[in-house]
Amino acid sequence: TKSRLRKTSPPQQHSEPQEQREQIVPDVPAPINVPPPEFYITPDSLYTLLKPAAEGKPAPVKLLDSRWVLERADALAAATTDAERERLALPRRQELERRHPEAYLSAEEVQALPTGKDGALAVGAVSHAWLEVSHPDPRGEQLVRIAALIRKAQGGKLRRQQVGWDPANTNIPACKPLPARVGIFFDWASICQHQKAADGSIAIERTADEEAAFRAALESMQIWYVHQKLFAILVTDLPARCAGTVAPYDARGWPTVERAWANVAKPNSISCWPMLYDVGTGDEAARAAPLHPQQVAELLATKKFTSPKADLPLVLRLYNETIISVLGGATELNFNDAGWQPRDGVSFARVLPYCAEVEEIYMVGNPIGDEGCAAIAEAATRAGVLPKLKRLAVFGNEIGDAGCRALAAAVRAGALPQLTSMVFREDRPGGRNLAGEAARAELRAACEARGVGDARC
């Protein structure tokens, strides 16, 4: 399917010199294959990709064993010359399988890995920029930093893994450590690759079987970042030597959509290990609200793809199918303590029309303010939006009088027809919004007039 194109002015903060002209924003391709919501929840959808289609064929995906990765990272860190680092850098998957089969977990070993709260899997995907057209990490610098963050998470040394990490409520427990052994999806070493020369030309092509495995992996690439039981590691900055010569993470197409995928519905529970990491900060990654597919299209119009004609329509279609599946099938959305800002409240409002099955929304402890709250309230008044929502928890979000009154007006107008619980205020540390008594009384009255039995305003 060919995408129609529209013109827009590029956001200046991400534009490179050659991108100062008008950008072409593609329309989002229509969905072709929308998986059922459980595709991004059950482990079976992952395990299928770890097994070959037939005896003697390569599996679409192989996961690295974190124990081997940490050992290789130690060797890289100890190397004293670039030549030694280049020798130790990961080769493409086909070569690594041949030279070091012990670098990988078998499908059975992956299935035997420990699980966490609500079935979280000890498997994660890495999102990173390629440092060279022929190799993503030719001196192993990114691998060393990924390993350092994994060790930090396994040792319980991240901020939210510390006792008393929240000064506003020191009784909140700490997050769990990452398990001692995890599986890692790293595209260069996890899916079959061409061997390319320094100029980007293909030196060794994938075989027919390898090409089939690669295509199968590519069609489900989003699952490694979207899946709600997997963690994700974002390598958001580059080695210092690459500054000014390599396009940064935020300027790349695939990393941009990988981060967007990871923000769709990753759990954020303190009862488990963290699910989203940032190598750039050495801790958990900042979270953003799920983006509407058209927002992703606008973002990607300014980003760099190696093969834009093939990759851009593919990732837009996969993202659109992801949003339709995940948000369209979810019955509960929990974005508590995600650090959302007002712009995230506005973004969340844009995707609410997808949430036809949602019965509970928790977005506590996010400073979305009046702007974000008003956008959500306005979206809720549209026909068919959140028809099944019963519980909305929005306390501790720095919402003032204007946002509170916008919610009240929406409730009075008949929004959220199945609502039974509106939690706008909790008398506990961090549980209050900024709205005064008069505005909260207005919201409380609107809820009571509608028969909302639990109206904590």
Side-chain angles (χ1 to χ4, degrees):
T1 303
K2 291 185 178 180
S3 300
R4 298 188 303 279
L5 301 178
R6 296 183 293 106
K7 293 183 178 181
T8 187
S9 297
Q12 295 302 308
Q13 65 269 27
H14 292 307
S15 298
E16 296 181 10
Q18 67 269 29
E19 295 173 330
Q20 297 298 320
R21 302 181 298 275
E22 279 188 316
Q23 298 294 331
I24 304 299
V25 178
D27 286 346
V28 177
I32 295 175
N33 178 30
V34 178
E38 55 267 24
F39 182 74
Y40 297 110
I41 299 173
T42 65
D44 290 342
S45 51
L46 302 168
Y47 299 154
T48 298
L49 291 168
L50 303 178
K51 298 175 182 177
E55 186 70 29
K57 307 290 185 182
V61 172
K62 295 282 287 185
L63 296 182
L64 291 166
D65 185 340
S66 65
R67 298 186 302 187
W68 187 91
V69 168
L70 297 185
E71 290 178 3
R72 178 52 64 102
D74 288 342
L76 280 160
T80 57
T81 67
D82 287 344
E84 189 178 0
R85 295 182 190 99
E86 289 168 4
R87 181 180 62 80
L88 290 168
L90 297 185
R92 65 177 183 144
R93 171 182 152 179
Q94 295 95 308
E95 298 302 319
L96 188 58
E97 277 192 282
R98 181 173 62 82
R99 298 182 203 168
H100 293 285
E102 74 279 7
Y104 293 98
L105 294 169
S106 68
E108 293 72 25
E109 287 174 320
V110 172
Q111 289 180 259
L113 290 172
T115 56
K117 174 72 173 177
D118 297 327
L121 302 173
V123 173
V126 177
S127 172
H128 61 94
W130 280 47
L131 303 186
E132 294 181 4
V133 70
S134 60
H135 198 296
D137 192 22
R139 298 180 190 173
E141 296 150 298
Q142 299 198 97
L143 191 73
V144 169
R145 299 183 68 209
I146 291 164
L149 182 56
I150 290 173
R151 274 205 174 101
K152 192 174 179 181
Q154 289 174 333
K157 297 179 180 179
L158 303 181
R159 184 182 69 87
R160 288 204 307 162
Q161 291 176 326
Q162 308 305 306
V163 175
W165 63 268
D166 185 354
N169 188 355
T170 56
N171 293 322
I172 296 180
C175 293
K176 301 295 187 286
L178 192 66
R181 190 185 195 188
V182 299
I184 302 171
F185 175 87
F186 186 81
D187 58 359
W188 172 245
S190 289
I191 61 178
C192 293
Q193 305 282 351
H194 291 310
Q195 183 68 61
K196 291 186 177 181
D199 64 358
S201 61
I202 297 175
I204 304 175
E205 290 188 339
R206 288 184 286 261
T207 66
D209 287 343
E210 291 168 355
E211 183 67 23
F214 171 78
R215 293 295 165 189
L218 198 63
E219 272 296 319
S220 297
M221 186 65 75
Q222 77 282 7
I223 194 172
W224 300 102
Y225 304 94
V226 179
H227 200 285
Q228 294 173 52
K229 306 303 180 183
L230 270 58
F231 62 88
I233 299 174
L234 315 180
V235 188
T236 58
D237 61 358
L238 305 182
R241 68 177 181 85
C242 299
T245 61
V246 177
Y249 180 93
D250 286 341
R252 303 295 189 96
W254 274 102
T256 295
V257 77
E258 287 160 3
R259 176 151 57 181
W261 278 329
N263 277 311
V264 170
K266 286 281 187 217
N268 191 29
S269 172
I270 54 175
S271 301
C272 189
W273 50 79
M275 300 296 277
L276 193 57
Y277 303 87
D278 185 348
V279 168
T281 65
D283 212 297
E284 290 186 70
R287 289 172 176 255
L291 296 177
H292 191 281
Q294 190 57 43
Q295 286 177 286
V296 173
E298 292 163 3
L299 271 177
L300 292 180
T302 69
K303 307 304 180 184
K304 179 180 178 181
F305 284 97
T306 303
S307 304
K309 289 185 178 179
D311 290 348
L312 183 54
L314 172 66
V315 298
L316 281 176
R317 175 175 62 80
L318 292 177
Y319 186 84
N320 191 28
E321 292 170 351
T322 297
I323 288 291
I324 293 170
S325 173
V326 176
L327 296 186
T331 58
E332 177 184 321
L333 294 174
N334 189 329
F335 297 108
N336 288 347
D337 300 309
W340 285 6
Q341 301 300 309
R343 64 180 177 273
D344 295 297
V346 174
S347 292
F348 188 50
R350 290 190 64 175
V351 299
L352 288 180
Y354 289 97
C355 304
E357 300 298 320
V358 170
E359 297 180 3
E360 301 178 38
I361 293 178
Y362 301 90
M363 40 184 302
V364 172
N366 296 301
I368 63 171
D370 288 338
E371 180 185 358
C373 184
I376 292 168
E378 190 279 328
T381 63
R382 299 176 197 164
V385 174
L386 299 177
K388 297 184 179 181
L389 188 71
K390 297 178 181 179
R391 183 178 179 84
L392 178 62
V394 291
F395 59 89
N397 289 344
E398 298 185 8
I399 300 170
D401 289 354
C404 184
R405 288 194 165 105
L407 271 181
V411 173
R412 284 196 300 270
L416 314 178
Q418 300 299 318
L419 190 68
T420 60
S421 176
M422 169 74 77
V423 188
F424 185 82
R425 173 187 170 100
E426 284 277 20
D427 288 324
R428 70 185 200 193
R432 300 184 181 185
N433 280 306
L434 303 179
E437 174 56 33
R440 289 187 286 109
E442 191 174 325
L443 176 58
R444 191 160 49 244
C447 290
E448 290 172 354
R450 280 273 304 277
V452 177
D454 179 21
R456 284 174 262 172
C457 308

